[in-house]
Amino acid sequence: MFSIIQAAGWPIYPLILCSVVALAIIIERLTSLRASRVAPPQLLDEVLTLTRSGLPSADVVQKLEASSPLGAVLSAGIRAASAGKAVPEAQVRTAFEASGRVVVHQLERYLSTLGSIATAAPLLGLLGTVIGMIEIFGAQAPTGGGGSNPELLAHGISIALYNTAFGLIIAIPALMFHRHFKSRVNELVLTLEQATDQLLPQLSGGRRG
């Protein structure tokens, strides 16, 4: 591996940095965007059961908020419904939406960086290719001189080929995971919206009672 890095020249170092950052983001997002972590399957049923007879205490709401992103969204609506006896349903919905925007921002964290790496990696590979071509042309002897420098010629070819390959090797998985994570976020957001739609009528009904 070290010999490959040496043959690829200095343009390979930005690509190595991109690969490390992309790998770290992919691992972190695979862990953070699990459905069981964002929206535990039994949480909504537990909240619906809990709020059926009335609104829970502040301690329970605080624990719900800390449990998961879905819990944070549901707790925001419960707090809004607990603000008073005349709080309109629209205000509870607004609290859901405000908390939801914060959660969506958290779910999309680092995805723009991953998308930037997917876009920049081929360009960095192209930069290495251009630098390799410059090395190749530099290896050619001036007109009327002797032969070309074979070592410099081989080094230029190595820079061009290795950087092009590394750029594509980094960009293709980064692009695939970026699109996968965007799709996963959309699915989780839909799950959060459906959960708030189920809880909202019950909060309003519980408050009226």
Side-chain angles (χ1 to χ4, degrees):
M1 180 61 70
F2 182 72
S3 62
I4 292 176
I5 294 174
Q6 274 189 320
W10 66 264
I12 199 68
Y13 292 107
L15 287 170
I16 292 175
L17 177 62
C18 286
S19 67
V20 172
V21 174
L23 182 60
I25 292 174
I26 289 170
I27 293 174
E28 191 276 337
R29 289 291 86 188
L30 283 173
T31 303
S32 299
L33 293 181
R34 289 178 301 169
S36 59
R37 182 169 181 174
V38 176
Q42 303 300 325
L43 183 61
L44 178 60
D45 292 336
E46 293 174 358
V47 173
L48 290 173
T49 301
L50 184 65
T51 57
R52 188 166 292 123
S53 58
L55 298 175
S57 64
D59 291 340
V60 174
V61 175
Q62 186 174 3
K63 291 179 180 179
L64 174 63
E65 181 181 15
S67 65
S68 63
L70 174 59
V73 174
L74 298 181
S75 64
I78 294 174
R79 283 198 178 97
S82 303
K85 295 183 178 180
V87 177
E89 181 177 306
Q91 188 169 332
V92 179
R93 184 180 295 275
T94 300
F96 278 141
E97 292 174 352
S99 179
R101 285 192 292 269
V102 175
V103 169
V104 171
H105 178 73
Q106 294 173 350
L107 295 179
E108 293 180 341
R109 185 172 53 179
Y110 306 133
L111 293 190
S112 61
T113 302
L114 186 60
S116 298
I117 290 174
T119 304
L123 298 179
L124 291 172
L126 179 60
L127 174 62
T129 303
V130 172
I131 293 173
M133 295 299 293
I134 294 173
E135 293 271 359
I136 293 172
F137 284 115
Q140 304 300 317
T143 304
S148 61
N149 186 335
E151 291 185 3
L152 193 59
L153 180 63
H155 184 59
I157 294 174
S158 296
I159 292 176
L161 295 180
Y162 278 126
N163 281 278
T164 301
F166 268 80
L168 294 175
I169 288 171
I170 295 168
I172 292 172
L175 179 61
M176 293 175 63
F177 274 104
H178 178 263
R179 293 190 174 182
H180 168 71
F181 291 143
K182 292 290 288 186
S183 176
R184 176 73 65 85
V185 168
N186 291 335
E187 292 175 1
L188 293 172
V189 169
L190 180 60
T191 300
L192 297 179
E193 290 176 351
Q194 291 174 339
T196 57
D197 288 342
Q198 291 185 54
L199 182 60
L200 181 62
Q202 184 158 302
L203 288 179
S204 302
R207 291 181 61 257
R208 285 194 300 268

